[in-house]
Amino acid sequence: MSRRRQIYEGKAKILYEGPEPGTIIQYFKDDATAFNAQKKGTINGKGVINNRISEYVFTRLNHIGVPTHFIRRLNMREQLVRQVEIVPIEVVVRNVAAGSICQRLGLTEGEPLPHTLIEYCLKDDALGDPKISEEEIACFNWAGSEEMADISSMAIRINDFLCGMFAAIDIRLIDFKLEFGRLWDGDYSRIILADEISPDGCRLWDMTTGEKLDKDRFRRDLGGEEEAYREVARRLGLLTEDSGPGEVLDMAHHRGRLRGAIKKK
Ligand code: UDP
């Protein structure tokens, strides 16, 4: 069997040519980076968990009518997706102050924002993904005005859905990042949700204890990142169906370790 053609290797995923034209395979790695890849490491099992979480979230978004690139999960670390032209903008949705907005505007982490904010950053590692205005997006034609209307309304809809989905499992959705793509059909394209939604690109805090269940555990050297990612998957009901009693026992062990890791800080 010949090896598949690799299209692109990113920080957390590898993209391969898919089995049919217009499809791509996303392979989820355990590699983790932070601060524009100045900090590098691995989170054991992250790729497997993120593949499952993203599959679950994209499937549910598809069910409520949000168009996404997701077709189906292929195996533990891979999913089949539609090939799109990625819009070179990272769309950040914020409900509560955390991360860069705290430094930029002098806000206290955990302060609820008066209303949900959408921010745009240019996808450009060399420039450190700078924040950009809608005026700049229009000026440099990174996305058209109709595309931006679709992107912002989808981002708000996704946020409303995800806030409810996570609240139901006792998790507060603080902020998250989305990427969109153009799905071409002849001369026309439409905007669909692409990339992934996982604890790599979201801030997720336990509603009761405030524990961080996301990549901030890695960014801030808090420890317990494997357990935190697994905890999110477990609460979503993703770790029980395929797992035997050993796995269930294992989760109890992991939960104990997560609590231990968090108490130490
Ligand atoms: N985010 C991301 N990739 C990036 C930048 C941000 O996934 O390159 C996510 C991040 O995980 C958080 C949200 O977007 O959930 C807002 O991030 P922020 O702008 O505060 O940047 P950070 O402090 O994470 O660098």
Side-chain angles (χ1 to χ4, degrees), residues 90 92 94 98-100 129 175-177 200-203 219:
E90 297 198 337
V92 172
R94 299 181 188 275
S100 62
D129 296 343
D175 57 29
F176 60 99
K177 188 259 301 184
D200 267 6
C202 301
R203 285 197 173 90
R219 290 192 191 99

